Amino acid sequence: MIRSVFAGCGHYLPAQKISNADFLAKHNIDSDSAWIEQRTGITQRHIAGETETTSDMATAAARAALADAKLTPEDIDIIVLATTTADHAFPAAAVRVQANLGMTRGFAFDVQAVCSGFVYALTVADNFIRLGQAKRALVIGAEKFSTLLDWNDRTTSVLFGDGAGAVVLEAREGAGAITDTGILSTHLHSDGRYYKLLQTDDAGFVRMDGKEVFRHAVTNLAEVVDEALAATGLKAEQIDWLVPHQANQRIIDGTGKKLGLPAERVVSTIAQHANTSAASIPLALSTAVHDGRIKRGQIVLLDAMGGGFTWGAVVVRW
Ligand code: UT7
């Protein structure tokens, strides 16, 4: 059977890196850096330049992933870009990435599942590959979430950052067994009854009932992680790395504990990146691959939860 194997990964962070204290002072937000760090784990975030777009960041991450895979844009059949903050309402930011890379063949489109976007995009690309409709896919998560923030709302403005991460998936023959390399299983969910708990308002600003989102996140992530283990037959102790969506260190710790994983096997970049929505998982993944933590052959579990609600998990043998 065909498997989607990770041929490479890369990421991009905007040059401007700003600490909690400087960020609060800059935007005159009534909060304090200790509260932010204690309640979320965030100590700083990167913020895109005024003219820097989501497609610019996505292109930089895509180039890094292609270089890591030792491939060129001509090798790619599809681009799937997870984002909530496309440059314009249309066309898709993905087609700009396609043009930036000089690709004139294949096809490119965006996927919108907010913070679960990367898990959704990976699943979509995996299906194209396993059906034989594409040989290689660029899967990107990129966000300029700072454009959605209301500086007068301290319950959301302190939580988010900008950035992009990308992976190259490649079709390779597998045995259909758990020992295969690549994506082993994908699990997606949504429940639109919770639309209003995390959404943009009519002015385009993020509004969130943080406590309720937190409560649902802990439960939904625990369930989808169980579902992923049951589907693959893996035991929690066989997971080498958890690479979760980076929304809150307390949620990340909760999922790690549920799996019985020591903190050293949970990849957390929230302190440096804050919540970058669809970009958070590929940013964390690329960070941990390139600093040598995640090694070939290891089992990696990705999980995410976000607006919609949407949530999901992907099990990978790296
Ligand atoms: O990525 C998509 C999914 N998103 C998430 O998973 C986010 C889930 N939610 C959360 O991470 C947390 O709920 C937050 C970090 C958003 C908030 O943390 P919390 O511990 O749930 O705080 P809270 O909303 O219960 O607020 C506690 C107190 C309140 O004051 P009182 O009523 O106890 O006096 C808030 O007014 O903290 C206050 N507060 C703040 N204080 C300083 C809320 N925001 C701030 C702030 N600075 N920025």
Side-chain angles (χ1 to χ4, degrees):
M1 90 180 258
I2 300 174
R3 293 285 193 189
S4 307
V5 172
F6 289 75
C9 63
H11 65 272
Y12 170 82
L13 288 161
Q16 188 194 170
K17 187 167 78 179
I18 183 162
S19 68
N20 289 342
D22 290 347
F23 187 71
L24 296 178
K26 181 172 180 184
H27 297 291
N28 199 20
I29 301 168
D30 172 27
S31 177
D32 68 275
S33 57
W35 186 96
I36 300 169
E37 192 169 346
Q38 278 158 19
R39 303 309 294 167
T40 70
I42 297 164
T43 65
Q44 60 168 45
R45 76 282 294 130
H46 289 253
I47 299 291
E50 216 160 294
T51 58
E52 190 170 34
T53 62
T54 290
S55 63
D56 291 335
M57 293 188 282
T59 303
R63 288 201 170 108
L66 283 168
D68 187 44
K70 299 186 174 55
L71 293 169
T72 65
E74 295 79 61
D75 297 317
I76 299 298
D77 302 310
I78 59 171
I79 300 175
V80 188
L81 169 52
T83 188
T84 315
T85 49
D87 305 1
H88 298 102
F90 74 86
V95 297
R96 256 210 172 142
V97 175
Q98 183 190 24
N100 291 345
L101 294 175
M103 269 173 74
T104 51
R105 54 174 287 277
F107 57 97
F109 58 95
D110 291 355
V111 163
Q112 159 61 297
V114 209
C115 297
S116 309
F118 189 73
V119 162
Y120 269 64
L122 264 187
T123 302
V124 170
D126 178 45
N127 285 335
F128 273 106
I129 287 177
R130 286 190 301 115
L131 274 171
Q133 294 179 348
K135 271 208 148 46
R136 292 197 190 90
L138 250 177
V139 185
I140 311 167
E143 297 279 18
K144 190 175 179 181
F145 224 77
S146 57
T147 56
L148 306 179
L149 303 177
D150 170 7
W151 308 125
N152 296 315
D153 180 1
R154 69 174 186 173
T155 69
T156 55
S157 58
V158 303
L159 303 175
F160 296 92
D162 301 331
V167 300
V168 180
L169 294 181
E170 186 169 70
R172 283 195 213 149
E173 204 54 47
I178 201 69
T179 47
D180 286 353
T181 302
I183 294 179
L184 300 176
S185 76
T186 60
H187 307 271
L188 299 185
H189 295 273
S190 68
D191 190 339
R193 288 177 299 168
Y194 301 105
Y195 190 103
K196 292 197 165 175
L197 294 185
L198 177 47
Q199 66 169 139
T200 50
D201 63 15
D202 291 342
F205 292 125
V206 180
R207 302 295 174 209
M208 172 166 72
D209 181 338
K211 256 199 167 11
E212 275 302 293
V213 174
F214 189 102
R215 200 170 64 78
H216 283 275
V218 170
T219 314
N220 291 347
L221 291 173
E223 280 176 14
V224 80
V225 159
D226 277 347
E227 184 186 321
L229 292 177
T232 52
L234 288 166
K235 298 205 168 35
E237 58 267 26
Q238 291 174 277
I239 306 293
D240 293 298
W241 298 100
L242 173 66
V243 183
H245 168 51
Q246 312 280 317
N248 189 313
Q249 188 61 46
R250 291 181 290 144
I251 298 175
I252 295 171
D253 291 343
T255 315
K257 272 208 188 86
K258 149 117 188 95
L259 285 165
L261 287 181
E264 313 83 73
R265 276 160 57 195
V266 180
V267 177
S268 177
T269 52
I270 189 166
Q272 295 80 35
H273 302 163
N275 182 345
T276 57
S277 181
S280 91
I281 289 179
L283 270 168
L285 185 65
S286 173
T287 301
V289 167
H290 291 296
D291 69 19
R293 274 179 285 173
I294 297 178
K295 295 185 175 60
R296 288 291 172 191
Q298 290 185 322
I299 295 283
V300 183
L301 174 60
L302 315 176
D303 73 1
M305 151 89 188
F309 289 148
T310 54
W311 66 103
V314 176
V315 183
V316 168
R317 186 179 294 281
W318 190 254

